[in-house]
Amino acid sequence: MIVAQLSDIHANGSGERLDRLDKVLGWLRPMRPDAVIVSGDLAEEAHDRSYRAVKDRLESLDCPYFVVPGNVDDHSDMRQAFGDRFGWTSNRPLNIVGTVGGLRLIGLDVTVEGAHHGDAGPLLDWLAAELAASDLPTLIFQHQHPFPSGVDGKDRNICRNGDGLAAVIEAAGNKVVALTCGHVHRPLFTRFAGRHATMAPSVTKANRLRLDGRESEIVDPPGLLLHHFADGNLVSHVVMVD
């Protein structure tokens, strides 16, 4: 099965941001994903109107989709737009749980009100209970990264309490196949809690890659991740849409 991951759309009421999203979705449609996850920062301005526009586009894909908030999202407007679909009854936390084709998807709202960093601490008991409730293989997604990205200046806004999150995942045994996130506007691959861990490229303008004081002159086009799950194995593909 195929789970497509979008991240960091940053819709702001302008046509330019939605044009980038339309370009990515235009590439994605022929792949007919089994599910789509959006790992936060759906909108940064004109939230109410932007969420309606993003929702219309996600629903046009004709497959299940799941979203979690990022640090620039408005929780109240996001719940207004998507709450009926995900059963959200309060503004925080906006977590989700779903199952598609034998793969469980858990989305964590690790955002902290008024801050750019995240914090997994308040969700650890909830996550442990959810992981204990099913033996299905599980993909966890969230906005802020709980592992070092190595990108200069970006880890000041990491998801805190990563050690606690790793402990909960490790305690769940082999059922967690991977964790994936967004936030830095760059794709990357690493390990977290002994599992495959990824970061999706952004739909909005990418950040330049800055490592150890060195940086590229090129700004990447919009992109997405395709997670292919088969026979208990997950392989993640980066797609850049120019």
Side-chain angles (χ1 to χ4, degrees):
M1 66 173 295
I2 297 171
V3 177
Q5 182 184 355
L6 310 178
S7 198
D8 297 275
I9 299 165
H10 284 256
N12 64 354
S14 72
E16 185 269 340
R17 302 289 174 89
L18 294 176
D19 287 347
R20 293 175 71 94
L21 176 59
D22 288 337
K23 182 180 291 188
V24 170
L25 296 181
W27 185 95
L28 179 60
R29 280 190 175 87
M31 296 298 296
R32 303 191 309 278
D34 298 286
V36 173
I37 57 177
V38 187
S39 49
D41 280 2
L42 284 71
E44 66 175 22
E45 295 176 16
H47 288 90
D48 179 58
R49 178 156 49 99
S50 293
Y51 290 136
R52 290 198 304 269
V54 171
K55 182 180 181 181
D56 287 346
R57 286 162 169 80
L58 292 175
E59 292 186 344
S60 76
L61 293 172
D62 196 28
C63 70
Y65 69 85
F66 306 89
V67 304
V68 292
N71 53 289
V72 301
D73 282 308
D74 182 287
H75 278 61
S76 178
D77 284 343
M78 195 166 175
R79 181 170 70 92
Q80 185 67 29
F82 297 101
D84 289 345
R85 184 181 184 92
F86 300 125
W88 291 334
T89 57
S90 62
N91 288 346
R92 287 181 181 271
L94 301 182
N95 300 323
I96 67 95
V97 179
T99 302
V100 179
L103 180 67
R104 204 161 186 238
L105 301 170
I106 296 182
L108 300 180
D109 177 6
V110 297
T111 61
V112 176
E113 189 169 6
H116 291 296
H117 69 269
D119 189 354
L123 306 179
L124 296 181
D125 289 344
W126 178 87
L127 176 60
E130 286 295 334
L131 290 174
S134 172
D135 288 328
L136 287 176
T138 300
L139 173 64
I140 297 174
F141 69 103
Q142 59 187 64
H143 184 61
Q144 289 96 336
H145 51 298
F147 46 78
S149 71
V151 179
D152 293 356
K154 297 301 180 182
D155 290 337
R156 65 180 180 275
N157 291 324
I158 202 168
C159 176
R160 298 175 184 175
N161 279 304
D163 288 347
L165 177 59
V168 170
I169 291 172
E170 289 166 351
N174 293 329
K175 67 181 68 173
V176 177
V177 296
L179 179 143
T180 190
C181 60
H183 191 44
V184 177
H185 298 200
R186 293 216 56 85
L188 64 80
F189 300 82
T190 187
R191 301 282 290 174
F192 179 75
R195 274 87 173 162
H196 180 77
T198 57
M199 179 181 292
S202 58
V203 172
T204 195
K205 185 177 179 180
N207 289 316
R208 292 186 180 184
L209 183 57
R210 295 184 175 94
L211 300 172
D212 298 338
R214 289 164 279 181
E215 68 176 280
S216 169
E217 293 297 322
I218 297 172
V219 177
D220 298 337
L224 70 158
L225 287 183
L226 285 185
H227 303 287
H228 183 238
F229 185 70
D231 300 324
N233 186 52
L234 188 77
V235 177
S236 299
H237 300 263
V238 179
V239 178
M240 308 307 290
V241 185
D242 205 350

